[in-house]
Amino acid sequence: MERWSLNRLEIETINARTSIDLLQELTTPVYQRAGFQYTNDVVTIPRYFYRLVGNDQSEKEYYKKVEQFYLAVEKLGELGNCITDGLDRMISEDFLRLFASAWDRIALLSDIQPDRVIQILRTYELFPDFPNKVLQKQFQENFKGLLEYYFDISQEMLEPEEFKSILQYCMHWLQVYLKPMCMNYDYIYSNPKFFYYGMITKEEIFFLIYAASFGFDVVYMNPQSECDFTLLDPQQLFSIEELTYQRTAIRPLHTIQTQERAETLAYQSTIEIDQMLQETETIAFKSWQCVDCEVEAKTLKTTYDEILILWKEQAMFRSHWSYENNRLTIPNIFAKVIGSLRDTNAFLGQVRRFAEAPNTIFISQFPFVKTPTMYHSCFFEVAYDKGGKWIIEPHRLRQAAWWPYRHLRNGFQQLLSETIAELVFRHRVMDPTGRLHPNELSQKIFSTLCNLDKPIQNLIQSFDYPKEIPKLVLYNDGQSGDLSLEDSIVLTCLNAIGFDIVAFNPAGFNDVESYIYSTLFDTHQLDQMVFELSMASKMHKPMPEKLGIRKLFSLF
């Protein structure tokens, strides 16, 4: 069949079931699904709407499954939306004014009926224009059908505020999600998909049912609760529930990273480190042989004693190093060390040895990143909003006239652009004040990472992947300022591209955990808290007095 040839038809759907792997079925082209058919007027699309509630697996296996669904939908681009923090609720003032006027008219009706509601919404142009006029009409007809169903199950007990919320948000989400997703919807081959993880509201359930009425696949996962699905779809007319009675708490999805953290052998057991190295397959690499490889950092889960051993190990000698098909996996370290050994001189000696490793920057003055120039116009040049998340295509970033890292080797430019795009899309930092809207945080991440200091750029440029891993050692004695959000953004970026990072805080004060999600780094507790334990007198190299990052970096 020729692509797009059925898009002039009206859509009917089948609530499809699968006896095999749901994840595999989601990738099956529409025309190959059981029940697909078409006539001169109608195309019947088998779509999947599964509610996976509860967890009968280990936590590790469950969240691996969550990640698989997330990545399968995310890679669809405009045809896929992954929802982990609820649907977008940033409604424009113009829309709110229009809807308020429409609602005022609806509220005056003596007998609220779905057809009158649709007529008023249409009068105020709350349904979007669409090139496909058959689909544009069906936006209204399907919504009317769902309102009739909603009125029936409400059994004369319609709650005005709930009804108003459903109308307002569904009209908003129709513009934000359905319209752009339908633009690339070929009824024959690939249908749009939603993956929703976590708690969900009644109006969000209503909207997902609405989306499914156009042939969208929907996968909902919640290890804890069915939420209001039992009220809106108790008979499973629109969705299929797979329920397990073991329930676990919902973990924020930022704790699930595309690079799964790996336990080292020393962490798993008391096996000697030399046995670990014997089991690690290594080969000889020429200098810069891997500079253009695709890179993935895998942050190790370690003990503190193991960090002391691994710190000077080349990447290719570490557990979980791999090199295959021009793709590298670099095992790196990200840890915070709280407190000091009972022998403070021995502790400071250990810190000094960390700081004196090759390709290492030692930082003891905070913040070490200057507040960046905000690149608002540059951000909107390369980023686009997709359901409340900002998407950046790395190649567009590298092609921008203002791209600040064009002097770096091509492989490093690609790595940096991909990392910036990933961190803008999936935040690894948080704003503890709660003042930044997620969109503002995305822009701050973007601007900070487009202003990396020269010493950081030089360290990236010197990264010969199989060999010495570049490192940052942070030492916060409580007297030298506070770590900032911008500092933390840079740390997550360097961790993502494979740097080793250790943050020492002998007094045990919060710093990295104030901004970086705690699942992304290890925390090691030493013997005692020690206050005002200065490092300056213990360093072989003289420490400057409250110098900025540029002078401090120049020491190394």
Side-chain angles (χ1 to χ4, degrees), residues 282-291 295 310-318 321-323 328-332 357-359 412 459 462-471 497-500:
T282 63
I283 62 174
F285 291 92
K286 298 178 181 178
S287 294
W288 307 108
Q289 175 183 335
C290 302
V291 69
V295 174
L310 291 175
W311 192 248
K312 292 189 177 181
E313 292 287 354
Q314 293 184 347
M316 62 183 173
F317 294 118
R318 290 183 177 180
W321 160 268
S322 70
Y323 172 64
L328 288 175
T329 300
I330 299 175
N332 64 337
N359 295 336
F412 294 131
L459 208 54
S462 67
F463 193 179
D464 190 356
Y465 298 134
K467 299 182 181 179
E468 281 77 14
I469 294 179
K471 308 175 193 302
I497 65 177
F499 278 39
D500 286 338

Side-chain angles (χ1 to χ4, degrees), residues 468-515:
E468 281 77 14
I469 294 179
K471 308 175 193 302
L472 262 65
V473 176
L474 283 64
Y475 187 85
N476 186 353
D477 61 8
Q479 307 176 84
S480 50
D482 297 320
L483 194 82
S484 69
L485 174 58
E486 290 82 4
D487 293 341
S488 302
I489 290 168
V490 171
L491 292 179
T492 58
C493 174
L494 298 181
N495 166 251
I497 65 177
F499 278 39
D500 286 338
I501 301 170
V502 173
F504 291 94
N505 196 311
F509 294 126
N510 283 351
D511 43 35
V512 294
E513 60 268 62
S514 295
Y515 299 102

Side-chain angles (χ1 to χ4, degrees), residues 55-63:
N55 174 23
D56 60 356
Q57 303 170 291
S58 69
E59 186 172 277
K60 181 178 179 180
E61 287 300 314
Y62 178 80
Y63 283 103

